[in-house]
Amino acid sequence: MSLRKQATAGLVWTFAQQFSNQIIAFVVSIILARILLPEQFGLIGMVSVFIAVGNTLMDAGLTQSLIRDKDADQEDLSTVFYFNLAASAVIYLIIFFSAPLIAGFYEEPSLTKIVRVLCVTFVISAFGAIQSTRLTKVMNFKTQTLISVPSTVVSGIVGVSMAYSGFGVWSLVWSRVSASLMRTAQLWVYSKWTPSLQFNIPKFKDHFNFGYKLTLSSLLDTIFSNIYIIVIGKYFAASQVGFYVKSQSLKNLPVNNISSALNKVTYPLFAQIQEDDVRLKRVYKQIMQMVVFIIAPILIFAAVLAEPTFRLLLTEKWLPAVPYFQILCVTGILYPLNSYNLNVLKVKGRSDLFLKLEIIKKVLIIIGILIAIQFGIYALLYTQAILSIIAFYINSYNTGNFINYSSWEQTKDIFPIIIIGLCSGAIIYFTDLFLVQQEWLDIFRILFGGVLGLLVYFLISFILKKDVVMFFKKIILKK
């Protein structure tokens, strides 16, 4: 299969996996949000950072090294498997005994038991990490889709049934645990790979030397991706954490789908053409434009129609989350670019530069939070939006140096698309003001505004940026 066909097939199946999962997860989250209270979601949000940190430390970047290594064999895979397993057990024990300290930090005694149960998920995930890596390396996203959908369905059934039975926050806990169990069990069945009794120390050192820098970078990114939850959980009420977490999850519905799909495809894709800078630049540019072309209108339209959407789907009790969501949509537009363009550094073997850039961005986040916390939660959110823009320029400048594609060139290629999205969003906004005066129902405001915005967006895009429209059509529809 040609590289183009591999990439196209990978994108199709990865998007299928992401969207099918997210549609199911979205429906489940809506049902749970209507049953449970914002503060219960806030408690889970407070714990999420520790789960993410555990997953990052458990892997140590070794699976990324396996994908990059074209000569990785059974001995490499088994070595990394046993390391991941041992590391996950050690990290879980540390978190288990630290649970009372975590609960004390947030002043939420109930978190002790929640942390101890929920964090077992990264131990479970360690059993299937190599199986998942092998599927990703050969760009077999079809099998991953067949694995992920049943896992999401089972976890949804567990969560909703427990919520209706009055288990409260524990319905969210066991929903996540069941998803992890289901996914790992299927990976063993579908991947047809089992570890052998091998552990090669020189090979471990080789993978570790590449991976530990990525791990430190990922660890920084994980902590700082959740740092706003940590700060809000420490200085504000659990309900406000819940509003932030729900806004973040709804914003991430399109963002994570696209970002995760592209990261899964672009890293192995870039790895195959890592020595051809001209080709790498061309592919990078095309994918970057496609990402913005998809994500910009979705988030802009969602921000404009946030108030009727939250009231319709989540009920009145979630309306305080609307301004949170609208501000976070700004960060979402550039997030996929901030994550996937750094894949260029990874395939070029510059994990040292990757780490350096992460440190710089995290220092800026600390400074921003220290300044913003004095002015309240909205100042924190606006700071997050501003820093996402700064991060894009830091990443694009360094990535551009490797493929002769400067930050200014990248900005010129995506800025017109964002402007088209903003113009379309403005039309929706003023139309919606009229519909409010006419007392239209929320569902009709959302449908009318969404359809109108898409029509305007595609019409202007076709006239002014026909090349982007045609490339988008070619990537998505060509078989």
Side-chain angles (χ1 to χ4, degrees):
M1 184 182 292
S2 69
L3 187 62
R4 177 182 289 275
K5 289 183 178 180
Q6 272 190 300
T8 302
L11 279 172
V12 170
W13 279 107
T14 306
F15 274 117
Q17 173 188 341
Q18 295 296 325
F19 281 106
S20 56
N21 276 340
Q22 290 298 331
I23 288 172
I24 298 168
F26 177 71
V27 173
V28 171
S29 70
I30 294 302
I31 296 173
L32 292 174
R34 298 176 74 93
I35 300 172
L36 304 176
L37 299 173
E39 48 264 37
Q40 293 172 322
F41 283 88
L43 290 174
I44 297 299
M46 293 174 186
V47 180
S48 61
V49 61
F50 300 99
I51 300 173
V53 167
N55 280 321
T56 300
L57 291 175
M58 172 270 293
D59 180 67
L62 272 63
T63 56
Q64 295 289 311
S65 181
L66 289 175
I67 293 174
R68 178 177 175 271
D69 186 358
K70 295 180 180 179
D71 301 318
D73 55 20
Q74 174 69 9
E75 196 170 31
D76 292 87
L77 298 174
S78 297
T79 297
V80 175
F81 174 83
Y82 290 119
F83 172 80
N84 284 355
L85 206 58
S88 68
V90 172
I91 295 165
Y92 176 72
L93 288 174
I94 293 172
I95 292 181
F96 181 92
F97 290 110
S98 301
L101 299 177
I102 296 171
F105 173 80
Y106 287 116
E107 298 180 0
E108 292 284 353
S110 61
L111 283 179
T112 299
K113 291 183 179 180
I114 293 174
V115 167
R116 287 174 171 172
V117 175
L118 197 52
C119 285
V120 76
T121 55
F122 62 77
V123 180
I124 298 170
S125 297
F127 280 91
I130 302 304
Q131 288 85 343
S132 179
T133 299
R134 290 182 72 250
L135 294 174
T136 298
K137 182 165 183 169
V138 298
M139 301 181 76
N140 184 356
F141 302 106
K142 178 179 179 179
T143 298
Q144 293 190 50
T145 301
L146 298 175
I147 289 172
S148 62
V149 173
S151 304
T152 306
V153 171
V154 169
S155 68
I157 293 172
V158 170
V160 171
S161 59
M162 290 186 69
Y164 271 119
S165 300
F167 283 91
V169 69
W170 286 100
S171 59
L172 300 173
V173 173
W174 287 109
S175 175
R176 295 195 180 193
V177 173
S178 62
S180 184
L181 281 168
M182 187 71 178
R183 182 175 183 275
T184 298
Q186 290 182 95
L187 279 169
W188 277 76
V189 173
Y190 283 100
S191 72
K192 296 180 172 37
W193 179 86
T194 55
S196 53
L197 294 175
Q198 296 173 290
F199 191 93
N200 187 302
I201 294 178
K203 288 190 173 184
F204 168 74
K205 290 180 178 179
D206 182 57
H207 290 300
F208 186 80
N209 285 336
F210 174 83
Y212 86 88
K213 299 167 189 173
L214 293 181
T215 298
L216 292 176
S217 300
S218 297
L219 183 61
L220 283 171
D221 189 57
T222 297
I223 293 173
F224 281 87
S225 294
N226 291 276
I227 195 168
Y228 292 94
I229 295 177
I230 297 173
V231 173
I232 295 170
K234 177 63 177 177
Y235 295 102
F236 301 94
S239 59
Q240 289 180 289
V241 180
F243 293 140
Y244 178 85
V245 169
K246 180 55 65 177
S247 299
Q248 188 85 306
S249 66
L250 289 177
K251 181 265 292 182
N252 285 342
L253 186 63
V255 172
N256 279 356
N257 277 313
I258 295 169
S259 179
S260 298
L262 281 170
N263 271 327
K264 284 184 178 180
V265 175
T266 57
Y267 185 46
L269 174 63
F270 289 171
Q272 293 183 44
I273 58 175
Q274 58 185 287
E275 297 176 0
D276 188 345
D277 289 344
V278 174
R279 192 179 183 189
L280 189 58
K281 175 183 176 179
R282 184 176 69 251
V283 173
Y284 175 92
K285 175 181 177 179
Q286 290 174 333
I287 294 178
M288 180 184 70
Q289 288 181 314
M290 187 184 72
V291 172
V292 179
F293 184 79
I294 298 171
I295 202 71
I298 293 175
L299 291 179
I300 291 170
F301 299 173
V304 174
L305 298 170
E307 181 259 334
T309 302
F310 271 66
R311 182 167 48 241
L312 176 68
L313 297 179
L314 306 177
T315 70
E316 298 274 348
K317 66 185 177 184
W318 288 95
L319 283 181
V322 167
Y324 293 37
F325 175 76
Q326 291 172 324
I327 299 170
L328 290 173
C329 281
V330 177
T331 70
I333 293 176
L334 294 177
Y335 179 80
L337 302 184
N338 281 331
S339 59
Y340 105 85
N341 65 18
L342 291 176
N343 283 336
V344 174
L345 298 183
K346 287 194 281 186
V347 300
K348 291 292 186 179
R350 291 302 306 274
S351 55
D352 57 329
L353 181 56
F354 190 111
L355 175 59
K356 179 181 177 181
L357 296 182
E358 289 303 302
I359 293 173
I360 292 172
K361 288 181 289 185
K362 289 0 174 192
V363 169
L364 292 176
I365 290 175
I366 292 174
I367 294 172
I369 288 177
L370 291 175
I371 295 173
I373 191 65
Q374 306 173 56
F375 302 100
I377 192 167
Y378 290 112
L380 282 172
L381 297 177
Y382 283 118
T383 300
Q384 187 175 353
I386 293 170
L387 289 173
S388 71
I389 299 172
I390 295 174
F392 169 73
Y393 283 101
I394 293 175
N395 293 337
S396 61
Y397 172 80
N398 287 276
T399 299
N401 287 339
F402 284 91
I403 57 176
N404 193 30
Y405 191 26
S406 68
S407 297
W408 174 241
E409 288 182 276
Q410 294 183 48
T411 302
K412 287 194 297 182
D413 286 332
I414 64 173
F415 189 68
I417 304 173
I418 295 175
I419 292 298
I420 294 170
L422 290 172
C423 291
S424 304
I427 292 174
I428 297 175
Y429 175 77
F430 289 111
T431 302
D432 191 60
L433 288 179
F434 173 77
L435 298 182
V436 171
Q437 293 176 352
Q438 302 302 311
E439 299 183 351
W440 279 40
L441 295 176
D442 288 336
I443 187 170
F444 294 117
R445 288 171 59 190
I446 297 167
L447 291 174
F448 187 84
V451 172
L452 175 64
L454 288 174
L455 289 174
V456 172
Y457 180 74
F458 280 108
L459 178 62
I460 300 176
S461 298
F462 184 80
I463 296 172
L464 300 180
K465 293 291 292 182
K466 187 174 180 179
D467 56 329
V468 179
V469 178
M470 296 310 294
F471 175 70
F472 174 75
K473 180 180 178 181
K474 185 177 181 181
I475 287 292
I476 298 300
L477 300 181
K478 185 173 179 179
K479 308 210 172 166

